Amino acid sequence: MDKISNLLDYIAMTSNLKVRWVRTPWQRAVKIAEAGGGVIFGMSRVKDREKIYHFSLPVRMQYVFLVTRSDSQFPFNSLADLRGKTIGIPRGFMFTDEFETYRDKVFKVENDGHDRIARLNKLMFRRMDAALFTTGNKNPRFLERSLQNARVDQEGTFPQFDAVDIAVLPKPVVIDTIHFAIRADKDDGLIDKFNDAILKARKAGILEDIPASFN
């Protein structure tokens, strides 16, 4: 969030724009953006959304991992390995076009809220085989430590699970990019200004480079 705040300050400075940043629950933010209420940050670029929005250049990479109970891990190498499984996904989240073609066809979706402790508790109760969590760090152990530490803070809530760890499967389900977006009929050159600022921010070292294959 600090990096995104710095980027927004940089965009305002270099583009002569007044930027007001409002943090909003994701589903509400999507509804506001769909209604033309402003620019949204954090969207993956998929075909269904391209019918509605203009997208900026990629801002950052995100890695989407499968999180399971440590006693219920399974091999994962491709989306086909999820056949017949139930996967927890936060409501309103979309990923790549390939992922979306598999959703509700190869695997079932358990629609989750956005509170990570509540999601992990559902996993402990075996409401799903795995849950998707996103991170900007490509090392799955980073996410695993973060989620396990969050569970430690909640010890005693469900004592029957205190001895059960979580595991993050090593291969990402999706490696994706996230963007700024605005409803296409509300874009009066704004995304072009954001793109100019994003390119300058990369040169200035405010943003990490994105591999060419994702641009």
Side-chain angles (χ1 to χ4, degrees), residues 6-74:
N6 290 341
L7 174 61
L8 289 170
D9 289 342
Y10 188 83
I11 289 172
M13 180 181 69
T14 59
S15 304
N16 196 28
L17 294 171
K18 291 183 179 180
V19 178
R20 184 170 65 93
W21 181 23
V22 180
R23 296 184 66 175
T24 306
W26 181 249
Q27 283 185 286
R28 191 186 307 166
V30 171
K31 288 180 180 179
I32 292 170
E34 285 179 353
V39 177
I40 187 171
F41 172 72
M43 273 196 170
S44 298
R45 185 167 184 164
V46 296
K47 289 180 180 178
D48 284 349
R49 285 177 171 165
E50 287 177 340
K51 299 172 185 177
I52 302 171
Y53 299 100
H54 282 170
F55 286 85
S56 74
L57 292 170
V59 177
R60 58 171 288 187
M61 303 285 291
Q62 70 173 3
Y63 301 84
V64 185
F65 288 99
L66 288 158
V67 178
T68 71
R69 289 173 52 127
S70 57
D71 57 0
S72 301
Q73 298 180 65
F74 54 86

Side-chain angles (χ1 to χ4, degrees), residues 4 7 24 50 121-122 124 134 136 142 149 154-156 163 177 190 207 212:
I4 299 306
L7 174 61
T24 306
E50 287 177 340
N121 287 337
K122 287 175 69 174
M124 291 295 110
T134 63
F142 178 89
N149 288 340
Q154 301 294 315
E155 277 188 355
T177 55
L190 194 58
L207 287 178

Side-chain angles (χ1 to χ4, degrees), residues 94-137:
M94 298 176 72
F95 299 107
T96 61
D97 289 322
E98 181 187 16
F99 181 89
E100 296 305 316
T101 63
Y102 280 76
R103 180 197 289 256
D104 291 322
K105 297 181 180 68
V106 173
F107 56 86
K108 297 179 181 178
V109 169
E110 171 70 18
N111 286 309
D112 282 346
H114 295 263
D115 182 86
R116 62 180 181 171
I117 292 298
R119 300 187 67 214
L120 291 173
N121 287 337
K122 287 175 69 174
L123 189 63
M124 291 295 110
F125 278 103
R126 300 185 186 275
R127 291 273 302 277
M128 48 200 172
D129 297 293
L132 295 186
F133 281 81
T134 63
T135 174
N137 193 311

